[in-house]
Amino acid sequence: DTLWRISDDPRVLDALVLAVHDPAPQVRISAAMSLGFRRDPKGEPALIETTRDSDELVRAYAASALAYSRDSAAVTGLINLLGDRSAPVRSSAAMALDQKADPRVAEALIRRLSDEDATVRRWSAAGLGRSNDPRAIEPLIEKLDDPDDSVRERIAISLGELKAAKAVKRVIMLLGDSSRNVRIEAATALGHIGSTQAVEPLLALLSDKDGWIRSSAVESLGRIADPRATLPLIDALNDPFSRVVLFATEALGNFQDQRATDALIKVLAKKDVVLQVEAAKSLGRTRGVGAVEALIGALRDSSPWVRATAASTLADFGDSRALGPLQKLIVDDPSEEVREHAKVAVLNLGGK
């Protein structure tokens, strides 16, 4: 099977084309998958032929194999498989169409949002989210009441991927969904959409008992970067759930507010390497008063990861006060990685 996929011998392709007609379904499956991996246009007709195989497992694998094809005929074959009597085949086809940049795909997947099988509906929603096709937005909104939790979850993700501003009110409603995962993905989607209409509902989630939901809310508030979220995000730095604190540290970097800078300077001084690194990066974006001094101080931190991040961040400030400490780092730091980051920073600052 592996040899079939990697061999350039033309006789192998001929053998694969013959193998799609083998009496054994497993041989036909192996041949279809190998033809897909090879991506040889000469093998496309045989591969497409397997989409009409009498065995549903062969058709399902053929659909998966066609995900690798660049032939427009493959899209036609996959769209036809969306109407297959077998749900696993339809799911495989929807999954494979996710890879195709073809205007016919969105229309075909929209129809499958009403499929009787939840897996097909979920993969159809996923493909629509990555299609970047605005025609998908309204049909996805209409299906936000799907009875299956995983489908609603995927639709929320897709609407976020499409940055569907007209979906904001409906996605906000999902914040009260009975499914935890739907609520998490709805909160995340609102951040990708970026509408300020979502700020108050997201702020309300900061008191949710579920840390993962609070994390998603914090992340989205950081993406939207509305001033109303500044103080609540600073408060989130004291959250008992570490993921919330990490996301809040990252989020505050998007606020040009001295209060955010002051809070991040305090995080940088903590003895938590992951938080310190994120705080250093965020200070590079806020650029508030005291940020340069704090980052220069971080060049003496015990963690080489923190020192390297501080050096890289200082390079973007263009502040000559960092030159001396960075040059000292090049000479004295025991970490080669830190010394390299310092060298790049010094060059960016115009030093030698």
Side-chain angles (χ1 to χ4, degrees), residues 1 8 21 61 67 78 104 175 178 180 182 209 226 258 310 325 347:
D1 181 56
D8 291 328
H21 301 289
Y61 273 97
L78 288 168
R104 295 174 292 168
L175 297 178
S178 59
R180 170 181 182 263
V182 172
K209 63 181 180 180
D226 186 282
Q258 187 59 41
L347 287 174

Side-chain angles (χ1 to χ4, degrees), residues 38-65:
R38 288 172 68 89
R39 305 186 187 192
D40 188 327
K42 295 178 182 177
E44 294 286 344
L47 178 55
I48 292 170
E49 187 177 347
T50 61
T51 64
R52 298 185 289 275
D53 196 279
S54 59
D55 188 291
E56 72 174 60
L57 195 57
V58 175
R59 297 196 303 277
Y61 273 97
S64 297

Side-chain angles (χ1 to χ4, degrees), residues 229-251:
T230 306
L231 288 177
L233 287 174
I234 291 172
D235 288 341
L237 294 173
N238 297 311
D239 194 278
F241 191 44
S242 61
R243 183 181 173 91
V244 173
V245 179
L246 179 62
F247 281 18
T249 302
E250 180 183 6

Side-chain angles (χ1 to χ4, degrees), residues 182-198:
V182 172
R183 296 198 301 275
I184 289 171
E185 295 303 341
T188 301
L190 288 168
H192 288 293
I193 295 171
S195 171
T196 56
Q197 292 181 62

Side-chain angles (χ1 to χ4, degrees), residues 86-104:
S86 163
V89 173
R90 297 197 303 276
S91 293
S92 295
M95 233 185 301
L97 284 168
D98 189 6
Q99 313 291 324
K100 308 297 182 186
D102 186 301
R104 295 174 292 168

Side-chain angles (χ1 to χ4, degrees), residues 166-318:
K166 63 172 64 176
V168 170
K169 290 182 179 179
R170 288 297 308 276
V171 177
I172 287 173
M173 290 174 64
L174 288 183
L175 297 178
D177 196 271
S178 59
S179 164
R180 170 181 182 263
N181 288 342
V182 172
R183 296 198 301 275
I184 289 171
E185 295 303 341
T188 301
L190 288 168
H192 288 293
I193 295 171
S195 171
T196 56
Q197 292 181 62
V199 172
E200 293 297 338
L202 288 169
L203 287 173
L205 290 184
L206 296 183
S207 59
D208 194 279
K209 63 181 180 180
D210 189 314
W212 287 87
I213 291 176
R214 298 197 304 276
S215 299
S216 294
V218 164
E219 184 179 33
S220 288
L221 287 166
R223 288 181 183 276
I224 298 169
D226 186 282
R228 287 173 288 175
T230 306
L231 288 177
L233 287 174
I234 291 172
D235 288 341
L237 294 173
N238 297 311
D239 194 278
F241 191 44
S242 61
R243 183 181 173 91
V244 173
V245 179
L246 179 62
F247 281 18
T249 302
E250 180 183 6
L252 285 168
N254 298 328
F255 290 79
Q256 307 302 308
D257 187 309
Q258 187 59 41
R259 293 171 298 177
T261 297
D262 293 342
L264 289 167
I265 289 172
K266 291 178 182 178
V267 175
L268 184 60
K270 291 183 177 181
K271 291 304 176 184
D272 183 316
V273 173
V274 174
L275 289 178
Q276 287 174 282
V277 167
E278 202 58 57
K281 293 176 183 177
S282 290
L283 284 169
R285 300 198 302 278
T286 63
R287 296 175 176 258
V289 175
V292 170
E293 293 87 346
L295 288 165
I296 289 173
L299 297 176
R300 300 187 296 274
D301 193 89
S302 59
S303 165
W305 191 15
V306 173
R307 297 197 302 275
T309 306
S312 296
T313 305
L314 284 166
D316 297 328
F317 267 84

